[in-house]
Amino acid sequence: SKVAVQDIYQPDGQFSGFVPAPAGAAEYLSDGKGLRLPDSNWDPDFSKSAQQIMQFFAYGKENQVEGVIAVNLHVAEEVLRLIGPVYLPDYNQTVTAENLSSLARADRQEFFPGSQQKRQFLQALFIQLRIQLSEAAASRPQDFVQLILSEIEHKQIQAYVHSPKLLPLLKDLHLLSNVSTNSSSQYYYLIESNVGINKANRLVTRNVELDIQPTQSVVRIDFQNQNPVTSIKGEFGDYINYQRILVPTTFTVKELKVNNALLTSWDEDIYLTITGEQLKQVGFLVPVPAQASGSAQVTFAYPNSALSSLTIQKQSGLPPTPYQINQPSGSFELVLDKDTKLPLNQ
């Protein structure tokens, strides 16, 4: 079957209409031009984002899109570790798990001269990768299947299709990545969006602390930005993060601090999941300068209720994140690398 690699700006350039951008994207990404295809993977629920993406492809005269598969860079790196380096003779370049990130993130002007060079290079890489992957899958099918299942479990691969016949299969394979409280009394989904129009998030790490009590909880996120201060290739290393937190609708924001300063306003609305469940969405900007740290701390109040279970959803693409959970009966730690549901002991 034919595989074509295309720049995302090609179909985007065919669209001249206006789609209202959601809070966060509207203020910091859209420049007043509304939501566009390059930023359309904005919704925390991939099934909803995928439908938006397919709509934008239709606007861009790509009307035959039946589904969307999102594959994070981490998957390609793990595949290269499995099959070994890929040599591209036309470019005299060997692509490895270690250098793929810098090659894939390079700007067109920095890659090779000519606007089509990066696309052609990536297409050549994809073709060679597919050949070596087919050979590896035939000789070591168990390793390949195990890798794919692990990447799906850790939300590195997501998918959505129009066909109602195939949707149950994607659900069974856990490819839909739907937003769901999983019937937990305590639910948190932390979503970061780099709105700084740079690649600073690559060198940012974070730690999360959840302090859960019978009538209130405190969510604290500490960020560390290892990017250099000076401009590299026209980009500065500051991380401008539009932070969102999804919680149950019974939660009320009692206090919100960013970099230890009290905020008096933030974005807040009702988020409707694809299954019709309502959640509260809180959004605000967290700037983290290069070679510095930053923090966000939100105190939520809610009616006194049994702290029976805790669900924390993982954002696709984020690296494994250390969480410390404090509760009345004691504290424990976990590394969030997939959607997690845990019992709470009061």
Side-chain angles (χ1 to χ4, degrees):
S1 60
K2 183 182 177 183
V3 175
V5 175
Q6 191 179 84
D7 193 314
I8 194 71
Y9 294 100
Q10 177 64 33
D12 181 57
Q14 305 298 312
F15 174 56
S16 59
F18 182 86
V19 175
E27 300 98 310
Y28 307 112
L29 279 181
S30 73
D31 197 25
K33 299 174 183 176
L35 192 66
R36 306 289 298 207
L37 177 58
D39 301 315
S40 57
N41 187 25
W42 181 265
D43 198 286
D45 190 314
F46 182 73
S47 295
K48 294 172 71 177
S49 275
Q51 292 176 56
Q52 181 78 79
I53 291 166
M54 286 190 280
Q55 185 62 64
F56 273 111
F57 271 112
Y59 292 150
K61 300 179 173 58
E62 299 279 355
N63 297 306
Q64 305 304 314
V65 179
E66 295 296 327
V68 179
I69 301 173
V71 180
N72 290 330
L73 186 64
H74 181 269
V75 179
E77 291 171 338
E78 291 303 306
V79 166
L80 282 168
R81 288 190 179 95
L82 182 66
I83 68 174
V86 172
Y87 178 65
L88 302 178
D90 289 349
Y91 297 89
N92 193 27
Q93 176 74 261
T94 299
V95 182
T96 68
E98 288 68 37
N99 69 9
L100 176 62
S101 175
S102 57
L103 290 172
R105 286 185 165 98
D107 292 333
R108 273 182 247 125
Q109 294 85 352
E110 300 159 7
F111 204 86
F112 293 109
S115 62
Q116 298 298 313
Q117 287 296 309
K118 181 177 179 180
R119 181 186 65 79
Q120 291 166 357
F121 177 87
L122 292 175
Q123 175 132 349
L125 170 61
F126 190 88
I127 291 170
Q128 190 59 39
L129 193 64
R130 190 166 65 159
I131 293 170
Q132 290 185 213
L133 189 57
S134 297
E135 294 170 354
S139 61
R140 291 179 289 160
Q142 189 172 354
D143 291 346
F144 177 70
V145 171
Q146 190 174 15
L147 170 63
I148 296 302
L149 291 177
S150 175
E151 295 299 284
I152 291 172
E153 181 185 17
H154 294 96
K155 299 182 78 168
Q156 300 291 354
I157 304 174
Q158 303 171 100
Y160 181 83
V161 292
H162 273 314
S163 169
K165 292 181 180 178
L166 290 177
L167 276 175
L169 175 61
L170 296 188
K171 184 177 181 180
D172 290 343
L173 292 171
H174 305 290
L175 280 163
L176 293 178
S177 295
N178 292 145
V179 173
S180 172
T181 62
N182 209 357
S183 301
S184 294
S185 60
Q186 289 281 321
Y187 168 82
Y188 302 89
Y189 190 176
L190 279 54
I191 305 114
E192 296 179 33
S193 296
N194 180 7
V195 296
I197 323 295
N198 62 15
K199 300 175 178 68
N201 47 303
R202 185 170 61 95
L203 293 176
V204 173
T205 57
R206 72 278 299 145
N207 295 271
V208 180
E209 184 174 359
L210 285 180
D211 186 10
I212 299 171
Q213 301 299 326
T215 59
Q216 76 167 35
S217 65
V218 180
V219 181
R220 182 176 177 87
I221 317 167
D222 288 299
F223 298 95
Q224 299 81 38
N225 185 349
Q226 283 90 32
N227 283 282
V229 176
T230 54
S231 171
I232 294 180
K233 300 172 184 175
E235 288 187 356
F236 289 89
D238 294 352
Y239 181 43
I240 312 300
N241 168 33
Y242 182 74
Q243 181 70 53
R244 283 172 283 170
I245 303 179
L246 289 180
V247 292
T249 54
T250 53
F251 284 37
T252 303
V253 178
K254 192 175 175 182
E255 184 183 84
L256 204 166
K257 290 182 178 179
V258 170
N259 296 331
N260 298 318
L262 204 61
L263 288 193
T264 56
S265 64
W266 53 84
D267 296 324
E268 188 174 312
D269 57 15
I270 295 297
Y271 177 86
L272 192 65
T273 72
I274 204 158
T275 57
E277 185 178 7
Q278 289 189 342
L279 295 167
K280 180 166 290 184
Q281 180 173 249
V282 179
F284 48 92
L285 205 65
V286 185
V288 186
Q291 290 294 304
S293 59
S295 66
Q297 182 171 301
V298 187
T299 302
F300 292 104
Y302 40 78
N304 195 344
S305 61
L307 304 179
S308 57
S309 60
L310 166 67
T311 290
I312 308 173
Q313 292 207 257
K314 177 194 181 289
Q315 181 181 1
S316 174
L318 273 192
T321 301
Y323 272 65
Q324 178 171 317
I325 316 295
N326 306 319
Q327 55 178 331
S329 63
S331 302
F332 62 93
E333 296 178 351
L334 65 88
V335 175
L336 189 74
D337 60 357
K338 59 184 177 181
D339 291 348
T340 302
K341 182 177 182 178
L342 299 164
L344 288 174
N345 301 311
Q346 296 186 62

